[in-house]
Amino acid sequence: MSVLIVIDHSDGHIKKSSFEALSYGAKVAEIIGTTAEGILLGTVSDDLASIGKYGVKKINRVNNESLNHLDSQIITDVLAEAVNQTNAKVVVFSNNITGKAVAPRLSAKLKAGLVAGAIALPETANGFVVKKTVFSGKAFANVAINTDIKIISLNPNSYHVAETDGTAEVAVLNINVGSPKIKTVSTAKASGEVSLTEAEIVVSGGRGLKGPENWGMVEELAKLLGAATACSRPVADAHWRPHHEHVGQTGIAIAPNLYIAIGISGAIQHLAGVNRSKTIVVINKDPEAPFFKAADYGIVGDAFEVVPKVIEAVKKLKGVN
Amino acid sequence: MKILVCISKTPDTTAKIAFKDNNTKFASEGVQWILNPYDEWYALVRAIELKEKDPSTILHLITVATADADPIIRKALALGGDEAIRVNADSHDSYFIASQIAEVAKQGAYDIIFTGKETIDYNGSSIGGMVAGLLDVSYISLATKFELNGLTATVTREIEGGEETDEVALPVVVSCQKGVAEQRIPNMKGIMGARTKPLKVVEPTSVDALTSIVSFELPPAKAGVKLIPADNPAELVRLLHEEAKLI
Ligand SMILES: Cc1cc2nc3c(=O)[nH]c(=O)nc-3n(C[C@H](O)[C@H](O)[C@H](O)COP(=O)(O)OP(=O)(O)OC[C@H]3O[C@@H](n4cnc5c(N)ncnc54)[C@H](O)[C@@H]3O)c2cc1C
Ligand SMILES: Nc1ncnc2c1ncn2[C@@H]1O[C@H](COP(=O)(O)O)[C@@H](O)[C@H]1O
């Protein structure tokens, strides 16, 4: 019996959300009285033994370059076999792009119940119940998984990374890999930027910033804080900012530790994508802006005066000129 | 070409979220229902565009829901599509829903199955992947563009930190998000026409749900905002550093 954690990676490096999934999976293993193992499909340049520090005893690998690419059909077949070989009773994914493509498919293949978007450890006093977000972060549901094998897809930034000392044994699983049917013809990645879903701090701008030419201060503040940038929907619709920055009900849902909203009114559909942020700062010139009701800290003022002063203060704090 | 679009009904995006019966059920009294935005704006509109390009395309809509979804189905048909299929069941288990869709899809031999990126109520992002798994066909999630060249689809999708463009042979299941199409408003002709389009009701096949909702909760209320004077933004930075310890 084991808890099997799917380790996701891109560009040869393991993602932070996978460290969260590993820490979470290790704790689940403790709860149900078994051991945690990782499974890594494809090729990475990171040192795998050191991943033991997140509480897993063993990393299973399937070294095959075809698996670097997201073809859920062949990945699912390999994972199903890995579940079988490791006798996994719980499979943990990060609910990121890979998790969203693969976990449901594995669920269907194994007839194993899935909770997608989990935010807490399972309760096992009465069955196996996992809390997840519903209604776009406006509520939570406690969902019982009623099958022998259980699949949990953990929302990024909802479980802390827990480090111990310890190294993992690395073993290669012998599993056949099918031939991919999805052929990639081109890739466009914004390099050097902090990924929005994994970012701990996000600086976001709305229509109050008047035009794309005014985003310099948003980017500068984000850079100083090591933050990702985001925007409201009308801003993306007007092509002031790229679509992938659009957060909210119909954009990306995020849960950073700190969300700084500048010139955003805080419409309910915007809040739906950011209300799981641990701390929210709102800068808006209208004291009646609904966003202040959801905020922890606020400044009622003109962004064009306030934000440069915030930047100055951050520079001072960080000792940069 | 045969296309199936999966649609679902969700509470309006501004609906008040509350629960009843000891927090075991969504309190739907007075709630306005809408077509799930991803299904309506992106999946359905793209399918309609493909049919406009090639009028021989057969376009079916499917929903797994009880009769109270009928007005939403008519609204979808007013945008376009030849007929709708409603599998007469009420479930929040993704596997149950996906199994019903897969059953209809098998019989209809569709070339393309579109879903939305996720439902804005239960937020599973799961149905598309499950349907693809049950049919054992390719699945492209989070598409932002979809083009058809004969029996090959060229799909751009979101990947971590960017986008990639893929080619895939039909049949395929694709989940759609912003970029795939532009929202449309139904016109009078569409609305009138929708009344006479077939809405077939089929009974569900027997499938065991794999999960069940035990209860709902609302998030704890916020303590209230701490306001900092506009002439002293440095105080905000100090609080974030010393009190919140976030920067
Ligand atoms: C079905 C549906 C789905 C939606 N999905 C989303 C979504 O996913 N994400 C999303 O963001 N929206 C979404 N919306 C739109 C949403 O309802 C709002 O219209 C939108 O969020 C408003 O964006 P905004 O706050 O940038 O602009 P506005 O509402 O125009 O607000 C601008 C704010 O800036 C302030 N301001 C102006 N000048 C300054 C200044 N100089 N300094 C400081 N503050 C200033 C104003 O006081 C105002 O509060 C959706 C709507 C619908 C109907
Ligand atoms: N009851 C349903 N009937 C038909 N299609 C559905 C249903 N629920 C969800 N879908 C489709 O599956 C997509 C993803 O839903 P979900 O996995 O619930 O987030 C939705 O955008 C719809 O296209």
Side-chain angles (χ1 to χ4, degrees), chain A residues 207 210 232-233 246-250 263 265 269-270 284 302-303:
Chain A
R207 203 145 59 174
K210 310 283 190 282
S232 67
R233 178 168 146 215
H246 156 199
V247 292
Q249 183 114 59
T250 47
S265 58
Q269 297 93 354
H270 185 84
N284 194 305
D302 185 338

Side-chain angles (χ1 to χ4, degrees), chain A:
Chain A
M1 200 165 100
S2 75
V3 171
L4 192 64
I5 301 114
V6 180
I7 305 175
D8 193 23
H9 52 94
S10 70
D11 300 326
H13 297 293
I14 295 167
K15 292 181 192 164
K16 182 188 136 215
S17 53
S18 288
F19 300 144
E20 296 165 2
L22 285 159
S23 306
Y24 178 94
K27 192 73 193 173
V28 174
E30 201 181 302
I31 291 171
I32 64 169
T34 180
T35 52
E37 298 182 18
I39 171 107
L40 189 138
L41 308 183
T43 52
V44 291
S45 47
D46 293 352
D47 170 41
L48 291 183
S50 70
I51 288 181
K53 68 173 179 263
Y54 302 110
V56 286
K57 298 268 167 297
K58 191 172 171 190
I59 306 287
N60 303 287
R61 301 200 61 172
V62 182
N63 270 319
N64 184 314
E65 286 201 350
S66 316
L67 296 169
N68 289 346
H69 186 247
L70 185 54
D71 189 331
S72 63
Q73 200 169 13
I74 61 168
I75 291 178
T76 301
D77 290 347
V78 172
L79 279 179
E81 179 54 26
V83 166
N84 181 26
Q85 290 191 14
T86 58
N87 192 17
K89 284 292 169 262
V90 180
V91 184
V92 179
F93 286 85
S94 173
N95 195 34
N96 61 8
I97 290 166
T98 306
K100 284 177 183 173
V102 181
R105 200 166 182 139
L106 186 67
S107 165
K109 185 165 181 103
L110 299 177
K111 280 199 176 38
L114 162 69
V115 172
I119 55 151
L121 288 165
E123 292 288 341
T124 53
N126 207 338
F128 190 98
V129 179
V130 186
K131 189 187 288 196
K132 66 160 286 186
T133 56
V134 286
F135 297 100
S136 307
K138 290 175 218 161
F140 305 109
N142 295 301
V143 182
I145 306 182
N146 305 321
T147 49
D148 181 32
I149 299 176
K150 298 161 176 74
I151 306 180
I152 302 174
S153 197
L154 176 71
N155 265 351
N157 259 326
S158 39
Y159 193 80
H160 58 275
V161 174
E163 290 191 24
T164 58
D165 33 45
T167 52
E169 169 203 346
V170 180
V172 172
L173 290 184
N174 210 342
I175 299 177
N176 268 342
V177 179
S179 46
K181 293 194 186 137
I182 298 175
K183 190 177 131 220
T184 301
V185 288
S186 67
T187 308
K189 275 198 184 184
S191 61
E193 286 176 32
V194 182
S195 135
L196 189 51
T197 45
E198 294 205 332
E200 289 178 7
I201 304 180
V202 173
V203 183
S204 187
R207 203 145 59 174
L209 289 178
K210 310 283 190 282
E213 66 281 4
N214 296 325
W215 246 263
M217 61 185 188
V218 174
E219 283 175 344
E220 186 178 4
L221 182 57
K223 195 154 184 235
L224 281 166
L225 297 172
T229 50
C231 67
S232 67
R233 178 168 146 215
V235 165
D237 283 349
H239 304 291
W240 295 359
R241 299 295 293 175
H243 281 315
H244 62 78
E245 282 198 2
H246 156 199
V247 292
Q249 183 114 59
T250 47
I252 293 173
I254 54 173
N257 294 336
L258 175 59
Y259 183 72
I260 304 180
I262 306 170
I264 304 177
S265 58
I268 192 160
Q269 297 93 354
H270 185 84
L271 294 179
V274 303
N275 52 15
R276 288 189 303 111
S277 307
K278 280 153 203 113
T279 300
I280 294 179
V281 171
V282 170
I283 300 172
N284 194 305
K285 70 174 183 189
D286 175 9
E288 302 294 322
F291 222 146
F292 284 115
K293 290 203 180 68
D296 299 280
Y297 300 99
I299 297 185
V300 180
D302 185 338
F304 297 101
E305 287 164 25
V306 172
V307 177
K309 286 187 193 150
V310 172
I311 289 173
E312 278 320 302
V314 174
K315 278 186 176 164
K316 221 180 204 170
L317 177 74
K318 306 239 169 193
V320 283
N321 296 311

Side-chain angles (χ1 to χ4, degrees), chain A residues 132 135 142 144 183 296-297, chain B residues 121-122 167 212 214 222 243:
Chain A
K132 66 160 286 186
F135 297 100
N142 295 301
K183 190 177 131 220
D296 299 280
Y297 300 99
Chain B
D121 48 5
Y122 293 96
E167 280 175 3
S212 51
V214 179
K222 282 252 174 187
E243 185 179 88

Side-chain angles (χ1 to χ4, degrees), chain B residues 79-133:
Chain B
L79 283 163
D82 301 310
E83 69 170 55
I85 303 152
R86 179 167 63 76
V87 182
N88 189 27
D90 184 21
S91 173
H92 296 314
D93 180 60
S94 305
Y95 180 78
F96 177 90
I97 297 170
S99 301
Q100 303 306 328
I101 296 172
E103 191 58 35
V104 170
K106 256 180 224 157
Q107 287 166 21
Y110 296 92
D111 302 290
I112 306 167
I113 300 175
F114 284 124
T115 75
K117 161 182 154 172
E118 67 176 10
T119 44
I120 63 169
D121 48 5
Y122 293 96
N123 303 116
S125 241
S126 301
I127 302 288
M130 286 185 178
V131 171

Side-chain angles (χ1 to χ4, degrees), chain B residues 64 102 169:
Chain B
V64 180

